[in-house]
Amino acid sequence: MPLDPPGQGITLLVALYRAGPWEAQAGILAAISVLALVAGASLLTARRQVRRRVKAEQALRTEYAFRQAMEDSLTVGMRARDLSGRVTYVNSAFCQMVGFEAETLIGQDPPMPYWVPEDYERTQAVHDAVLAGTPYPSGFELRFQRRTGERFDALIYEAPLIDADGKHTGWMGSFVDITARKRAEESQRQQQEMLQQNARLITMGEMASTLAHELNQPLSAITSYATGSLNRLQASGGDAELERALTKLTVQARRAGTIIRRIHDFVRKREPQLTACALPEIAQDALGFLAAEARKLGVAIHADLPDDLPLVRADRILIEQVILNLARNALEAMAAVPRGQRSLWLSAEALEDRVEVRVRDSGPGVAAAQQETLFSAFFTTKPDGMGMGLNICRSLIEFHQGRLWYEPAPDRGGLFIFTLPRAPTETPDREKAA
Ligand SMILES: Nc1ncnc2c1ncn2[C@@H]1O[C@H](COP(=O)(O)OP(=O)(O)O)[C@@H](O)[C@H]1O
Ligand SMILES: [Mg+2]
């Protein structure tokens, strides 16, 4: 039977009431009434309190469910850390992003299991900077990895966590997965680049067609005049020196014709003859053509072309043209440099999957404002320049799946760098021909 002290008290009083004289009975009656009133009142208060508590609990449960739903619907990953950098909270979006359970992450100290090994140092540096209070008002980007090893890029914002007493207790970070956005940006950039490359090829095609058309005639004329003169010279007894000069003239005129035809063919059919070539040979050929001009201008040529350079996949004639163009630009750039200080460096170096060629001069270099437009069609600073040289060079190199760009030389002067892919097989074309 449950204990009921007020009930037992009342039973006792009723017994007394029945036994005593009527005054006592009246006193007892009054006491009973007061007791009943007090009991009733406290019963009411207790009921009200219970109701209030049930209501508060219900409100709390609703609030909790609301917060949980809100948290679960977030696609932004949230992660809180204490002042030492230990993880104190992660939401489900964060767990999904990195592929680890909340139980694994909470309580973890850095390095975190989702840090990318090759980016450890940078990630650690940013982590330390955040803990030291460095503000990143526009957020920062880091690369992480999921549990599966898949990489992703995240944009992160960190805000200080302040408790109810106004004390700084840690940091709350929000993580947005921007991998898809970055991929889209990259593909847009590549598309833009391809469009520009096509535009360059079209301009170049038009130029080359015009040039081939315009130059073919005078070049044929030069060849036939030279041959005619040579014949007459030989018939009239001859002059060995003049004959040599005229023969060279014919060879060069024919060569000019070949170059124009090749470039014309390239832009029309876009089928350069790609073979495995030794770059030092191509470079030496190009320098050979410039030797006389360089001597006349007092330019010292320094070539650093290692013999054991891997073969490149290229069209010899076209690459020779690129080197010639870059070197000729270099010679022209040094016109205002005092003789004795004019130098041209040509070097090549093997990199992982490509060969890098550098053409450097001791000229004034290119002004920062012009470095962007340098490769645009018709950009020239020369009174009689055509401004197509670098534009065509870039198209030719890009056609070879390489890159051509400008950098200011370390001390002073201009530096053009281009890359060519290594040839897949290491058989030079001259060996194949033999
Ligand atoms: N080595 C260099 N040093 C400084 N400026 C250069 C160099 N090479 C090219 N340039 C600049 O780039 C411009 C474009 O070169 P290019 O396309 O070959 O056309 P062009 O030689 O007909 O002017 C040149 O007019 C010059 O201003
Ligand atoms: Mg030029």
Side-chain angles (χ1 to χ4, degrees):
M1 212 181 88
L3 264 178
D4 185 9
Q8 278 165 359
I10 289 168
T11 321
L12 193 72
L13 283 173
V14 170
L16 273 173
Y17 169 75
R18 283 207 186 116
W22 77 268
E23 290 92 347
Q25 283 180 359
I28 288 169
L29 203 65
I32 289 175
S33 315
V34 170
L35 213 67
L37 267 174
V38 169
S42 56
L43 206 72
L44 268 176
T45 316
R47 237 179 70 178
R48 215 174 290 140
Q49 259 172 2
V50 167
R51 256 204 223 131
R52 213 175 293 147
R53 189 177 303 151
V54 169
K55 231 184 194 166
E57 268 174 17
Q58 226 163 24
L60 207 65
R61 261 202 299 275
T62 314
E63 170 80 17
Y64 181 76
F66 179 77
R67 273 197 44 180
Q68 192 68 40
M70 193 170 79
E71 257 186 56
D72 292 346
S73 73
L74 274 183
T75 53
V76 176
M78 305 291 292
R79 181 218 51 198
R81 293 181 295 175
D82 64 16
L83 289 174
S84 72
R86 180 171 303 164
V87 175
T88 54
Y89 162 84
V90 283
N91 72 346
S92 59
F94 187 84
C95 293
Q96 256 168 22
M97 215 177 265
V98 296
F100 288 97
E101 308 280 324
E103 296 77 55
T104 316
L105 296 173
I106 292 173
Q108 268 272 354
D109 281 311
M112 302 300 175
Y114 47 83
W115 285 12
V116 176
E118 64 268 23
D119 276 355
Y120 253 38
E121 266 173 42
R122 193 173 103 78
T123 314
Q124 182 73 52
V126 174
H127 172 91
D128 292 344
V130 169
L131 291 190
T134 311
Y136 289 96
S138 39
F140 52 89
E141 281 179 27
L142 278 180
R143 175 157 291 188
F144 293 120
Q145 62 180 2
R146 307 188 210 279
R147 195 184 201 152
T148 54
E150 186 196 346
R151 308 291 152 106
F152 70 97
D153 294 302
L155 176 62
I156 304 160
Y157 293 91
E158 294 271 5
L161 270 175
I162 310 290
D163 73 3
D165 302 327
K167 215 173 87 197
H168 181 194
T169 58
W171 300 91
M172 175 65 88
S174 66
F175 289 62
V176 182
D177 189 337
I178 53 167
T179 317
R181 195 181 85 194
K182 284 199 94 158
R183 223 174 269 151
E185 277 171 8
E186 175 60 19
S187 102
Q188 198 182 4
R189 192 190 61 75
Q190 278 176 1
Q191 233 165 356
Q192 199 68 30
E193 215 164 75
M194 225 153 75
L195 274 178
Q196 276 171 9
Q197 193 178 332
N198 276 345
R200 267 203 300 281
L201 279 173
I202 291 167
T203 322
M204 196 173 100
E206 286 162 0
M207 293 285 304
S209 294
T210 317
L211 275 184
H213 187 76
E214 296 290 328
L215 289 181
N216 252 342
Q217 229 160 340
L219 280 173
S220 316
I222 291 172
T223 316
S224 56
Y225 281 130
T227 316
S229 308
L230 203 58
N231 290 343
R232 285 184 70 169
L233 200 64
Q234 278 162 348
S236 65
D239 173 332
E241 215 167 302
L242 211 56
E243 266 180 44
R244 247 198 323 276
L246 278 173
T247 311
K248 277 188 182 169
L249 181 73
T250 321
V251 170
Q252 291 302 324
R254 288 217 183 93
R255 199 182 125 72
T258 313
I259 291 169
I260 286 171
R261 257 193 311 281
R262 184 62 71 83
I263 292 187
H264 184 222
D265 285 353
F266 162 72
V267 289
R268 213 186 42 201
K269 290 191 274 157
R270 301 190 193 172
E271 275 170 18
Q273 291 158 19
L274 296 178
T275 53
C277 318
L279 197 111
E281 284 177 17
I282 306 179
Q284 289 298 357
D285 280 356
L287 288 182
F289 284 116
L290 282 178
E293 204 176 326
R295 220 171 354 213
K296 206 172 77 196
L297 293 168
V299 175
I301 295 184
H302 314 270
D304 178 11
L305 305 158
D307 287 333
D308 57 352
L309 214 58
L311 300 176
V312 290
R313 188 172 143 76
D315 182 312
R316 298 182 65 101
I317 300 255
L318 296 179
I319 297 307
E320 194 181 293
Q321 286 308 305
V322 171
I323 297 176
L324 259 177
N325 257 297
L326 296 178
R328 194 159 278 138
N329 273 349
L331 296 190
E332 287 166 0
M334 290 186 284
V337 173
R339 280 177 92 91
Q341 291 174 27
R342 298 175 182 173
S343 278
L344 169 69
W345 291 267
L346 180 61
S347 63
E349 188 191 350
L351 297 179
E352 202 180 327
D353 56 344
R354 59 196 186 278
V355 168
E356 194 173 273
V357 183
R358 296 167 161 254
V359 183
R360 181 158 81 90
D361 62 62
S362 56
V366 179
Q370 290 175 348
Q371 286 174 19
E372 279 286 305
T373 38
L374 207 52
F375 294 91
S376 310
F378 309 116
F379 171 78
T380 181
T381 52
K382 299 166 194 168
D384 55 351
M386 196 151 65
M388 279 306 290
L390 288 177
N391 187 271
I392 292 180
C393 285
R394 182 172 262 185
S395 297
L396 291 176
I397 293 296
E398 281 173 354
F399 197 87
H400 284 78
Q401 257 96 54
R403 278 200 329 116
L404 165 65
W405 71 96
Y406 173 81
E407 273 179 23
D411 34 9
R412 132 196 135 86
L415 168 60
F416 286 84
I417 306 173
F418 69 83
T419 60
L420 286 173
R422 284 186 184 207
T425 54
E426 298 264 310
T427 341
D429 47 357
R430 66 201 138 85
E431 273 176 30
K432 266 193 290 182

